[in-house]
Amino acid sequence: MAPKVDPITRSVVQYRLSSIVQEMGEAMLRTSYSQILNSSRDFSLAICDTRARLVAQADHIPVHVGALPWATRAVEERFGDDISPGDVILLNDPYRGGSHLPDLTAFVPIFASGKRLLWTIVRAHQSDIGGATHGGYNPSATEIWQEGIRVPPIKLCEAGRRRDDLLDLLALNVRNEREFRGDLAAMVGAAHLGERRLSRLFAEFGEPMVDAAMEAILDATEQQTRAVVSTWKDGVFYGEAFLDDDGHGRSDIRIAAKVTKRGSDVEVDLSDSDPQSTSFVNSSHANMQAAVAMAFAYLIDADIPKNSGALRPLKVIAKQGTVVWADPGRPVTLCTSHPSNEIVEAIVKALSASCPERAMAGWSRRFRIAIQGEDPRSGRNFIWHMFQARPGGGASSGGDGWSSIGEWHTVGGIKFGSIEVAEVRFPLYFRHHEFRAGSGGDGKHRGGLGVALDLVLETEKIARGNTAGDGARHGPCGLLGGEDGEPHRYRLLSEGRAPRLLQTKETGIEIRPGDCLEVRSSGGGGWGPPEQRSDAARRRDAEQGLT
């Protein structure tokens, strides 16, 4: 019989679990090699149990964490009881619980009293994962094999012994071997740190009490969530959002959400979304599930733990072969950004009729640039991912949107890091980086502002750039009478050439020494009718140069 758990013990275990994943995140930040991890923090940590339930997470990248239960399920199905202390499992395959290929995931099993109970998990975006283009994003891809190396659930370590032959195979297939090895070592180290902390927790409280406390945590979270949802208006609600294009000739790709709310239950049906694409704008199944979980999590109370208990009131229906759930073999690399952002937007639009005071206006979309070239200071090749010029967040009933905060799928979890450090590490000069005045949608509460960036490339040889993103045609949606935010506008300025408007899905862009990337990132959507905005708020915007 499971021991009885008092509220204090439950709370202590809950916060211990939370502190463990937070400490794992600090270890990742301090030991990873690439700027995409140790500066921009594009990684997430979690603890799942052997039933693939999310028990605890750190506040990093929501689209990562929401997919981890599906990855855990894939590991359990592949290995079953063939797991020993000291094993380390890797995967990235989007058709086996991964999100997209650049997100590599490491699992370490946790044993107590001779039983395997939990997994510590680290998912981290690699700055390169092989494939036809540098940086992990290939807008030209028409099949997943053109996007990078696929890793099904495999054992990198067996009973504490690392398989160097397997590590060599993986490292050989990426363009930046040193960073890849260093980042992977950081991931495994962070997962093992979680293992040590959990072993201490089991030693202090005993396996039966910790196990019972985790069940109580999930049950209490479900009760809290249902109490919130039961206050929303019942009914059937509809929302939709559109991708600009797929880079292969299709435009205005529709993501449709039918949301049914009854009592304390919510059903999200995405079946009416458009058919899948030939390009990388498709979503994997795990990523689609994560996007729905994100939208739901954003609408419940902020202090409710975001674990599997919080998702028990939620049912997801989707149709394979659509853009939100692609058939095996389709390219999906853009999916963590798009269509995940559009899935969230469509659901929030629908539920704005059920819980308007909780619904946010549209957050901006991702428009990334990856540059590969040679640093003249060292003669070494580099791959740089642009995380600067973060776009604006959507406004809400609580006030104006956050400026330069990012997109729906990260909600501030990805940082742009120090400009000065970026200039030291890469041959770049940030000539100009400030808020883009007037980019946020007008409303009772204004959308957050995007950023105006002028970036000069200080190489001696021609570099190559790729873009991957969306939102140059469709700005973030205004909500409940608010206006849309301004869309992105990126240009390449090159001496002796006419300015070139960059598309959101391009490969092989020639960037000459001294060229300037003129980036104008999107602002967030406004909330509520503009005529309801206070005179004091408008004066403040004008005084601060924000309009």
Side-chain angles (χ1 to χ4, degrees):
M1 176 181 291
K4 183 176 178 60
V5 182
D6 62 86
I8 293 177
T9 300
R10 185 190 72 199
S11 181
V12 168
V13 171
Q14 177 179 322
Y15 282 98
R16 282 285 293 275
L17 294 171
S18 178
S19 70
I20 288 170
V21 285
Q22 290 174 23
E23 187 179 0
M24 290 165 61
E26 291 301 309
M28 275 293 296
L29 187 63
R30 286 163 170 74
T31 59
S32 53
Y33 278 42
S34 65
Q35 59 95 21
I36 202 169
L37 301 185
N38 62 31
S39 179
S40 298
R41 308 185 186 207
D42 196 350
F43 58 80
S44 297
L45 304 306
I47 298 169
C48 286
D49 67 9
T50 55
R51 293 162 61 184
R53 297 182 301 176
L54 179 65
V55 175
Q57 62 160 307
D59 292 331
H60 286 97
I61 314 299
V63 77
H64 284 170
V65 178
L68 291 180
W70 304 92
T72 305
R73 185 174 300 176
V75 170
E76 291 285 349
E77 290 175 353
R78 169 62 181 85
F79 291 106
D81 293 330
D82 185 22
I83 300 291
S84 303
D87 285 355
V88 176
I89 312 297
L90 293 183
L91 72 77
N92 78 343
D93 187 2
Y95 296 100
R96 293 178 178 86
S99 298
H100 65 172
L101 293 181
D103 285 341
L104 190 60
T105 309
F107 299 77
V108 167
I110 310 301
F111 289 78
S113 303
K115 297 186 294 184
R116 183 168 59 85
L117 301 173
L118 299 170
W119 296 95
T120 54
I121 308 172
V122 181
R123 176 163 287 184
H125 189 114
Q126 307 303 304
S127 59
D128 190 81
I129 201 66
T133 59
H134 68 271
Y137 290 82
N138 180 10
S140 301
T142 57
E143 57 183 10
I144 195 171
W145 294 277
Q146 297 164 343
E147 296 189 296
I149 185 169
R150 295 174 71 181
V151 183
I154 59 173
K155 289 189 179 183
L156 178 67
C157 300
E158 292 185 285
R161 184 182 65 84
R162 189 178 70 190
R163 292 193 53 190
D164 288 326
D165 57 342
L166 190 55
L167 178 59
D168 291 344
L169 171 66
L170 296 173
L172 188 64
N173 278 276
V174 300
R175 293 172 175 83
N176 50 355
E177 178 177 344
R178 177 181 177 275
E179 288 189 352
F180 178 83
R181 288 179 179 270
D183 287 346
L184 182 54
M187 293 169 63
V188 174
H192 278 308
L193 173 62
E195 177 189 26
R196 293 194 296 274
R197 297 294 184 262
L198 284 169
S199 295
R200 182 181 299 174
L201 179 66
F202 282 116
E204 289 181 26
F205 287 88
E207 176 268 323
M209 180 58 74
V210 174
D211 191 51
M214 289 189 294
E215 292 294 337
I217 290 166
L218 297 179
D219 290 343
T221 303
E222 179 185 6
Q223 292 174 8
Q224 290 176 275
T225 304
R226 290 191 180 278
V228 169
V229 174
S230 64
T231 66
W232 302 353
K233 178 183 176 182
D234 282 353
V236 180
F237 309 101
Y238 298 87
E240 61 182 14
F242 293 87
L243 287 162
D244 286 355
D245 60 79
D246 67 354
H248 289 230
R250 280 178 68 187
S251 298
D252 297 329
I253 300 170
R254 177 174 176 262
I255 287 79
K258 174 186 174 184
V259 183
T260 304
K261 189 270 175 183
R262 291 282 184 269
S264 63
D265 292 298
V266 175
E267 178 185 277
V268 174
D269 187 346
L270 302 174
S271 301
D272 197 34
S273 298
D274 277 356
Q276 62 193 1
S277 171
T278 56
S279 86
F280 67 167
V281 302
N282 300 303
S283 179
S284 62
H285 176 264
N287 180 78
M288 176 269 293
Q289 293 281 354
V292 178
M294 283 191 295
F296 184 68
Y298 296 160
L299 297 173
I300 62 176
D301 290 354
D303 58 357
I304 294 177
K306 305 307 184 290
N307 56 39
S308 286
L311 301 179
R312 287 174 181 169
L314 180 65
K315 179 181 179 181
V316 182
I317 300 172
K319 180 181 177 182
Q320 188 170 348
T322 60
V323 69
V324 302
W325 181 5
D327 290 330
R330 294 277 180 159
V332 295
T333 299
L334 194 60
C335 73
T336 53
S337 298
H338 306 288
S340 70
N341 283 277
E342 290 71 29
I343 293 171
V344 174
E345 185 171 300
I347 295 169
V348 171
K349 277 183 179 178
L351 284 171
S352 67
S354 177
C355 53
E357 296 301 311
R358 292 176 175 269
M360 295 173 284
W363 283 49
S364 297
R365 304 184 182 193
R366 186 77 171 102
F367 188 172
R368 67 188 301 135
I369 295 174
I371 299 175
Q372 181 182 39
E374 181 182 296
D375 190 335
R377 300 168 298 183
S378 64
R380 292 174 57 183
N381 289 329
F382 70 90
I383 299 175
W384 177 75
H385 296 262
M386 188 187 78
F387 283 97
Q388 283 71 23
R390 304 295 286 159
S396 69
S397 62
D400 295 345
W402 288 96
S403 296
S404 190
I405 190 68
E407 309 86 1
W408 279 117
H409 70 292
T410 66
V411 289
I414 287 181
K415 319 297 182 184
F416 66 68
S418 165
I419 285 174
E420 290 77 14
V421 170
E423 290 178 331
V424 169
R425 297 177 71 173
F426 301 94
L428 304 169
Y429 169 50
F430 290 80
R431 179 190 293 164
H432 180 84
H433 191 279
E434 66 181 23
F435 289 150
R436 180 188 178 190
S439 56
D442 199 3
K444 179 180 179 179
H445 300 299
R446 169 184 50 74
L449 302 185
V451 169
L453 163 65
D454 292 341
L455 178 69
V456 178
L457 192 67
E458 295 185 324
T459 58
E460 295 176 355
K461 299 179 181 179
I462 291 174
R464 298 287 174 181
N466 298 325
T467 63
D470 206 77
R473 291 180 53 236
H474 293 289
C477 70
L479 199 67
L480 300 172
E483 295 181 358
D484 293 352
E486 287 292 314
H488 298 296
R489 183 174 63 84
Y490 289 16
R491 297 196 304 170
L492 179 63
L493 308 181
S494 186
E495 186 175 352
R497 298 181 181 180
R500 178 173 182 262
L501 185 67
L502 296 180
Q503 305 303 309
T504 54
K505 304 167 184 70
E506 288 192 72
T507 60
I509 301 167
E510 181 179 282
I511 306 176
R512 302 191 302 182
D515 281 359
C516 177
L517 287 168
E518 183 187 81
V519 174
R520 302 295 182 262
S521 65
S522 171
W527 191 95
E531 58 268 22
Q532 294 183 10
R533 187 163 180 79
S534 71
D535 292 339
R538 293 200 181 280
R539 285 195 301 271
R540 184 178 66 248
D541 287 345
E543 290 168 359
Q544 296 178 355
L546 304 181
T547 56

